[in-house]
Amino acid sequence: CDWSSDVCSSDLEVSVARMIELLTALALQPMVNAQQIDCVIPSHRLDLEREVDLIEEIARLAGYDAIPMHEKMPLIVRPPQPMVLARQRIGQVLVSHGYHETITPSLLTEEHAKAFCPDSLTPMALAGETRRKDSVLRPSLLPSLLNCRKHNQDRGNQGVHLFEVAGIWGDHQGKTCEKTSLALLTDSPDPHEGFRNARGAIEELAWALGGEDTAKTLAFEPVEDARYQPAAKVMLHGKDHGRT
């Protein structure tokens, strides 16, 4: 528990000696160490994990009624985080192209996970989930979108356009790899028409997320890939960022 000038908060003044007394009463064995108080947490106090938990205990014993109440609460307005803005722009662009966002489970069957796992990774199975059919963390979002497509087809709903932004996982030489990925699925009777549809959406995404300079670096290079026909590498700033 840190303090400054023997004050635990700007409103409720609690001396260091009083804090030591209160924490001792809780059997936390407080010790003053420079500008902080170190405590030993008993095994039965599983609720005490962070510094703020100790501050709350001091406030509770000192008396919540001693804390002054203010009629106004100051707020600091901060701009949205870049990841939040990026997700919003992705949704706006893809919805305008006729896509629907999906939220699908993170687990797949081992068969589906291996089929879409990059060559550099190995699928990761969850420990203790061997009895479940879906027990592998997905290395790609595409199997999840394909399951959604099949669900729609089975009910006579053709021509669906789906997208999802979510985490994917894999094992690289014993090290867990996790990243956020974007996947698009266009259900079209003509593969070339579907390719053009996806390409147009990706091009607009490059403009929306990176501006003109980023969009100019976007390129689609033909590649042989049995999972995508026709197939192309999505290149951005000279780096391979996926397949379409």
Side-chain angles (χ1 to χ4, degrees):
C1 179
D2 292 329
W3 77 84
S4 176
S5 302
D6 292 352
V7 176
C8 189
S9 73
S10 59
D11 295 323
L12 176 62
E13 294 187 4
V14 181
S15 67
V16 175
R18 179 58 173 159
M19 285 191 279
I20 293 292
E21 179 184 351
L22 296 174
L23 294 171
T24 300
L26 296 173
L28 300 182
Q29 305 177 36
M31 295 182 60
V32 177
N33 181 12
Q35 290 295 309
Q36 68 181 25
I37 299 175
D38 295 333
C39 295
V40 178
I41 308 302
S43 59
H44 66 278
R45 290 301 306 268
L46 301 179
D47 57 314
L48 301 181
E49 297 180 349
R50 302 165 297 168
E51 178 187 15
V52 67
D53 297 326
L54 297 177
I55 295 174
E56 183 178 0
E57 289 296 284
I58 293 173
R60 180 176 65 84
L61 294 181
Y64 290 135
D65 56 343
I67 301 176
M69 296 183 61
H70 297 280
E71 295 181 357
K72 297 181 180 180
M73 180 180 294
L75 296 176
I76 300 177
V77 179
R78 301 185 185 276
Q81 296 179 352
M83 179 61 74
V84 175
L85 286 176
R87 283 178 175 267
Q88 291 176 349
R89 290 172 182 169
I90 288 172
Q92 292 168 353
V93 169
L94 295 181
V95 168
S96 69
H97 278 260
Y99 286 83
H100 296 272
E101 184 173 9
T102 66
I103 301 177
T104 57
S106 301
L107 297 175
L108 298 173
T109 64
E110 183 177 1
E111 178 185 4
H112 289 167
K114 286 184 176 179
F116 287 88
C117 189
D119 296 335
S120 59
L121 298 178
T122 302
M124 296 179 58
L126 293 182
E129 296 289 341
T130 55
R131 295 183 180 180
R132 292 185 49 176
K133 185 178 179 181
D134 299 340
S135 60
V136 179
L137 288 169
R138 59 186 176 189
S140 170
L141 299 179
L142 287 177
S144 301
L145 295 187
L146 288 170
N147 284 333
C148 289
R149 180 201 181 203
K150 183 179 185 304
H151 182 82
N152 279 272
Q153 283 185 328
D154 291 345
R155 286 153 182 80
N157 186 16
Q158 305 294 331
V160 296
H161 305 289
L162 308 173
F163 81 93
E164 184 167 358
V165 181
I168 57 175
W169 296 265
D171 181 283
H172 179 66
Q173 298 179 353
K175 182 180 179 180
T176 299
C177 298
E178 177 184 359
K179 68 176 182 178
T180 301
S181 177
L182 165 66
L184 312 178
L185 185 146
T186 298
D187 189 4
S188 174
D190 183 353
H192 295 280
E193 179 184 349
F195 179 87
R196 289 192 297 269
N197 185 301
R199 175 171 178 165
I202 294 172
E203 288 175 343
E204 188 169 342
L205 280 174
W207 277 91
L209 296 175
E212 182 178 0
D213 292 340
T214 296
K216 287 181 178 179
T217 70
L218 179 66
F220 297 85
E221 298 181 0
V223 64
E224 292 294 331
D225 194 322
R227 293 167 294 187
Y228 308 88
Q229 297 181 6
K233 292 191 294 185
V234 181
M235 306 295 293
L236 199 64
H237 296 294
K239 296 182 179 180
D240 186 352
H241 282 268
R243 297 289 184 272
T244 183

